Amino acid sequence: MQHRIDPEELGPSGLGMTRAVQACVHCGFCLPACPTYGVLGQEMDSPRGRIVLMKEVLEGGLPWEAALPHIDRCLGCLACEPACPSGVSYRELVGPFRERAETVRRRSWSDRLRRVLLMETLPYPRRFRLAAAAGIWVKRWRRLLPRDVRPLLDLLPDRLPRAERWPQRISAEGETRARVGLLPGCAQSVLEPGIQRATIEILRRNGVELWIPAKAGCCGALAWHSGDGRRARAAARVQLEAYPGELDAVVTNAAGCGSAMREYGTLFLGQPEEKAAGELAGRVRDICEFLDQLGPRPAPGFAKPVRVAYQDACHLAHAQGVREAPRRLLRATPGVELVELAEGHLCCGSAGTYNLEQPEIAAELGEYRARTILDSGCEVAATGNIGCLTQMRYHLQRLGSRIRVLHTVEVLAAAARGKWPDGE
């Protein structure tokens, strides 16, 4: 007699996990939407296959070690969710499953060391700046270094931009139309501070007053998507206390961060913070989503027409359901000709730390995305996530391309000024 999953045995997240397993009817609509299935062609590396594996593990019919390699290869891009006719909430299964897996799996010492280094540097801007600066210096001896270290170095820029700091309160220009909290960011603030600068500029220009709590720090996305629930909840608790209740929204400009914050309700299921977490999650808005709902003020735009290819960041399009807002904003920008990418739903291979932990699969996906950008004939590629931006820029450079890769809000801020940052 087959054992069924008992939600109570799985703890607070058991209901969501059970619901996801039972909703799957194994129809296969998720297969063509799944990037890893497209690369590997293996049933167990598809959402349908992974659901079967997770179900068997949770029911005790399969050892963890047999399932984890396939679960680890999942990008967590959630492209399977909009493709599923049965409405399977894959996120309610894979996140809690990964957290549970970390309590039982055995990692090699090198794997543990890499994860500790990532978790102890990326979420902390000062530490990450020091580590990145050291990494840039070490890049010259790349060929002498262990193979599993090279992907991390490859993604670093040749030099780091100057650090920028912002006051806690920033007033709106003209009449105040809204008051929002803005996530300070962590790795993005080191690698691409211009994204935050453009976000502040475009929000102020549109009559938005900002609250940027210095203590907010990392939102916990990196830890949550890696299965470290304890560390993710610790970071999220800081966010719960950081934003006053009278704010109209909490705005993010990194798709992975926005996605994680919107999952705070799941992260705190059955815990004292569950209600507060759900309320904060309900106020989170991506920068393009917020601007689209607010209604942007007219911008001068570009005197010289520019072809802009928009790439859907997975955690924006699939996890948050924000697809049309960035496109509407770009189409409405004078001088912008919006072009679509072939198979735009497919992940670029960044996915948090995926391109560091699964570099071969990530590289294949990254090169494919770069080639579709080249084929589009665009002059600028825009996206809504720092990881996607870094991944696409790296692979375009490897192909010898000089196409600009920018965050969508950087394009909008440039259009508001009527020129690109370098004056073109």
Side-chain angles (χ1 to χ4, degrees):
M1 185 175 180
Q2 188 180 31
H3 174 66
R4 294 184 64 82
I5 300 174
D6 183 351
E8 293 185 3
E9 293 178 6
L10 299 177
S13 60
L15 181 60
M17 297 175 79
T18 305
R19 186 166 51 230
V21 167
Q22 293 176 345
C24 179
V25 297
H26 312 291
C27 65
F29 278 87
C30 59
L31 270 62
C34 177
T36 52
Y37 180 77
V39 170
L40 302 172
Q42 300 293 323
E43 172 71 19
M44 293 301 101
D45 289 305
S46 73
R48 179 175 69 179
R50 290 183 178 114
I51 288 173
V52 170
L53 290 174
M54 289 186 276
K55 176 178 181 291
E56 290 297 316
V57 170
L58 295 172
E59 290 181 345
L62 189 71
W64 288 88
E65 294 77 13
L68 286 177
H70 303 284
I71 308 304
D72 289 344
R73 287 196 283 269
C74 174
L75 289 142
C77 69
L78 301 181
C80 53
E81 287 195 356
C84 178
S86 301
V88 174
S89 182
Y90 185 76
R91 73 187 76 188
E92 288 190 289
L93 178 58
V94 70
F97 186 90
R98 280 177 163 166
E99 180 180 8
R100 187 173 293 265
E102 289 305 312
T103 65
V104 298
R105 76 188 305 165
R106 297 179 180 179
R107 291 187 178 273
S108 66
W109 70 267
S110 60
D111 195 13
R112 290 198 302 271
L113 177 61
R114 184 177 70 244
R115 285 175 65 85
V116 168
L117 288 174
L118 290 173
M119 294 298 178
E120 292 296 338
T121 56
L122 283 174
Y124 306 97
R126 290 183 182 177
R127 297 181 200 175
F128 181 51
R129 176 169 286 276
L130 290 173
I136 291 170
W137 185 78
V138 169
K139 278 175 75 171
R140 67 190 74 182
W141 294 290
R142 179 188 180 281
R143 294 183 179 179
L144 303 177
L145 298 172
R147 190 173 292 271
D148 58 353
V149 175
R150 296 176 193 173
L152 176 59
L153 298 177
D154 291 342
L155 292 169
L156 289 172
D158 293 331
R159 62 184 180 85
L160 293 176
R162 180 175 57 86
E164 298 186 16
R165 293 186 178 183
W166 302 98
Q168 187 164 274
R169 287 185 181 274
I170 301 177
S171 61
E173 292 181 3
E175 180 187 355
T176 299
R177 302 167 67 197
R179 293 178 175 83
V180 305
L182 181 62
L183 188 70
C186 44
Q188 178 175 280
S189 67
V190 175
L191 296 175
E192 294 288 337
I195 296 174
Q196 193 78 329
R197 189 188 323 127
T199 301
I200 293 169
E201 182 180 336
I202 202 72
L203 285 173
R204 290 192 68 224
R205 185 182 185 280
N206 280 280
V208 180
E209 182 181 305
L210 294 101
W211 168 265
I212 310 177
K215 69 174 184 177
C218 177
C219 66
L222 178 66
W224 178 232
H225 295 150
S226 299
D228 192 341
R230 179 192 61 80
R231 196 184 294 265
R233 276 182 280 274
R237 286 188 182 100
V238 178
Q239 306 297 327
L240 297 183
E241 298 176 359
Y243 299 99
E246 65 270 14
L247 295 173
D248 296 303
V250 175
V251 172
T252 65
N253 52 25
C257 299
S259 170
M261 293 182 76
R262 283 182 161 176
E263 290 184 47
Y264 277 179
T266 299
L267 185 62
F268 284 102
L269 275 174
Q271 303 206 22
E273 301 93 340
E274 182 178 349
K275 182 180 178 181
E279 289 175 351
L280 178 59
R283 290 194 290 156
V284 172
R285 296 290 182 273
D286 175 75
I287 175 62
C288 287
E289 179 186 25
F290 179 79
L291 277 174
D292 183 57
Q293 292 173 349
L294 181 68
R297 289 170 174 165
F302 304 108
K304 180 182 176 182
V306 58
R307 288 171 60 86
V308 178
Y310 178 73
Q311 186 258 348
D312 279 302
C314 295
H315 282 99
L316 188 56
H318 308 317
Q320 300 183 62
V322 179
R323 297 180 181 84
E324 292 306 315
R327 289 174 168 84
R328 275 194 292 268
L329 292 171
L330 289 170
R331 287 194 190 101
T333 301
V336 169
E337 179 189 347
L338 183 64
V339 296
E340 295 289 345
L341 299 176
E343 295 193 274
H345 69 281
L346 288 180
C347 183
C348 68
S350 174
T353 59
Y354 190 89
N355 49 6
L356 308 178
E357 298 176 352
Q358 303 285 341
E360 292 83 8
I361 300 173
E364 184 166 342
L365 292 169
E367 181 175 339
Y368 178 78
R369 176 52 68 227
R371 291 191 182 278
T372 62
I373 292 172
L374 288 172
D375 291 343
S376 74
C378 72
E379 300 159 81
V380 173
T383 189
N385 191 55
I386 175 64
C388 304
L389 186 152
T390 303
Q391 174 85 332
M392 294 192 302
R393 185 177 289 168
Y394 170 69
H395 284 281
L396 281 168
Q397 289 173 349
R398 287 195 67 190
L399 295 174
S401 172
R402 303 182 73 175
I403 291 174
R404 293 175 185 260
V405 185
L406 300 171
H407 192 287
T408 311
V409 77
E410 291 182 291
V411 178
L412 298 176
R417 293 184 228 108
K419 62 180 182 179
W420 297 105
D422 55 13
E424 290 184 11

